[in-house]
């Protein structure tokens, strides 16, 4: 039987967080708007979405939200959604705020650099995450995949599995389920979890998730100023000299 093909019609960019690990930079600018070699992280996401024909784009904001409104004035067609719970809840609150847009949707974090726009292609068969095969040890979320279906996920990582990245696609049917499950968890008081926990752990058996394979070099998740400085040396000034020197080259 041929698998049904689905097409992403809209995207939700998660951009409400405080960016604690990027302080002091994030004391003045939200993490997704930080420029890396002259281009803000979120701009690489928006540009890649548009290169794939995804024009309906929602950005969920909270921390320093005014700066996103200023940014959006120059990015015509981007709609801002405010998350009023960003400073008291985990990021389940951001997707809850955008829950009316989950059908045929791509969900992606705004604080990462997209180096290969093809990884945000619209066409897909199964709901699920972009993933990179990991032979060695990782402490990131690691999925076990059998016959193209995710059978389990480890929050604490491991080896010889598919590392989950913050790019996912959801069919219309799964988007409706995800909305229902988000409401169940968030309105039921389960507000300190990642939104990914909802489908990957809280209601795992309600979904049949696949993966979209990619290469590690296609996308870069920047989690600290040291990682940022290794990509853009202008940020070495925020690091101790010894640490900064190890990033040069």
């Amino acid at each position: 039987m041929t698998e049904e093909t689905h097409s992403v019609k809209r995207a939700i960019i998660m951009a409400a967080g405080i960016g604690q690990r990027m302080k002091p930079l994030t004391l003045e600018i939200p993490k997704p708007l930080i420029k890396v070699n002259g281009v803000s992280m979120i701009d690489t996401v928006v540009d890649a979405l548009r290169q794939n024909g995804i024009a309906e784009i929602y950005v969920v904001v909270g921390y320093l939200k005014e700066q996103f409104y200023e940014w959006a004035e120059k990015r015509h067609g981007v709609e801002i959604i405010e998350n009023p719970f960003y400073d008291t809840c985990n990021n389940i609150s951001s997707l809850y705020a955008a829950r009316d847009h989950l059908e045929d949707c791509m969900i992606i974090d705004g604080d990462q650099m997209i180096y290969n726009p093809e990884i945000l292609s619209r066409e897909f068969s199964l709901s699920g995450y972009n993933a990179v095969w990991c032979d060695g040890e990782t402490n990131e979320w690691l999925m076990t995949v059998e016959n193209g279906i995710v059978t389990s996920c480890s929050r604490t990582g491991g080896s010889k599995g598919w590392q989950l990245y913050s790019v996912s696609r959801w069919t219309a049917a799964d988007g409706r389920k995800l909305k229902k499950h988000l409401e169940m968890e968030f309105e039921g008081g389960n507000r300190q979890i990642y939104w990914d926990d909802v489908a990957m752990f809280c209601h795992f058996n309600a979904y049949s998730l696949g993966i979209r394979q990619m290469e590690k070099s296609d996308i870069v998740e920047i989690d600290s100023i040291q990682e940022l400085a290794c990509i853009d040396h202008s940020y070495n000034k925020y690091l101790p000299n010894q640490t900064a020197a190890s990033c040069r080259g």
Side-chain angles (χ1 to χ4, degrees):
M1 181 181 295
T2 303
E3 289 185 333
E4 183 180 357
T5 299
H6 302 272
S7 182
V8 170
K9 294 181 174 63
R10 56 194 57 85
I12 297 171
I13 302 176
M14 309 285 272
I18 296 173
Q20 292 281 6
R21 289 181 290 178
M22 296 287 284
K23 288 183 176 178
L25 278 176
T26 49
L27 292 174
E28 298 181 351
I29 184 171
K31 185 180 174 185
L33 292 180
I34 291 174
K35 290 187 175 182
V36 183
N37 294 314
V39 181
S40 69
M41 299 185 203
I42 196 170
D43 277 328
T44 71
V45 176
V46 171
D47 289 343
L49 288 169
R50 288 181 169 166
Q51 285 181 49
N52 283 282
I54 303 169
E56 185 180 337
I57 300 172
Y58 302 91
V59 179
V60 186
V61 304
Y63 179 65
L64 297 178
K65 62 184 180 183
E66 296 81 8
Q67 294 188 35
F68 285 103
Y69 281 103
E70 294 174 6
W71 165 81
E73 288 178 359
K74 304 172 185 176
R75 304 297 317 225
H76 299 295
V78 173
E79 184 172 333
I80 299 294
I81 296 175
E82 292 190 20
N83 171 11
F85 309 101
Y86 77 92
D87 57 344
T88 59
C89 303
N90 209 328
N91 77 355
I92 183 177
S93 62
S94 284
L95 201 59
Y96 178 81
R99 66 192 182 279
D100 291 332
H101 307 288
L102 293 174
E103 296 183 23
D104 295 316
C105 177
M106 181 182 295
I107 305 169
I108 181 169
D109 283 356
D111 59 350
Q112 51 194 348
M113 300 291 293
I114 306 298
Y115 287 111
N116 178 9
E118 292 182 4
I119 66 172
L120 303 190
S121 60
R122 298 177 65 176
E123 307 305 315
F124 67 108
S125 297
L126 294 173
S127 300
Y129 289 82
N130 279 32
V132 170
W133 174 254
C134 183
D135 261 323
E137 290 289 333
T138 180
N139 57 6
E140 302 291 341
W141 286 24
L142 202 67
M143 298 177 287
T144 300
V145 179
E146 297 178 7
N147 299 318
I149 303 295
V150 178
T151 57
S152 65
C153 181
S154 167
R155 286 190 185 90
T156 56
S159 63
K160 297 191 182 303
W162 290 95
Q163 181 179 331
L164 180 153
Y165 277 73
S166 301
V167 178
S168 62
R169 296 166 179 80
W170 302 87
T171 66
D174 284 341
R176 288 190 291 270
K177 283 193 287 187
L178 184 57
K179 178 183 177 181
K180 179 182 71 174
H181 293 147
L182 278 165
E183 291 171 343
M184 288 173 59
E185 297 302 325
F186 190 79
E187 294 170 9
N190 196 8
R191 301 185 173 191
Q192 298 305 324
I193 60 173
Y194 293 109
W195 78 261
D196 311 88
D197 280 290
V198 174
M200 193 59 75
F201 295 103
C202 300
H203 302 275
F204 181 73
N205 291 331
Y207 302 86
S208 181
L209 301 178
I211 62 169
R212 200 268 189 207
Q213 299 181 28
M214 65 177 190
E215 300 297 324
K216 190 173 183 179
S217 59
D218 291 338
I219 186 171
V220 173
E221 297 178 339
I222 300 174
D223 293 324
S224 68
I225 292 183
Q226 183 170 353
E227 291 179 10
L228 175 61
C230 287
I231 300 172
D232 183 339
H233 299 329
S234 69
Y235 292 99
N236 281 342
K237 61 187 177 183
Y238 291 96
L239 300 173
N241 289 336
Q242 183 177 354
T243 306
S246 69
C247 290
R248 298 190 182 103

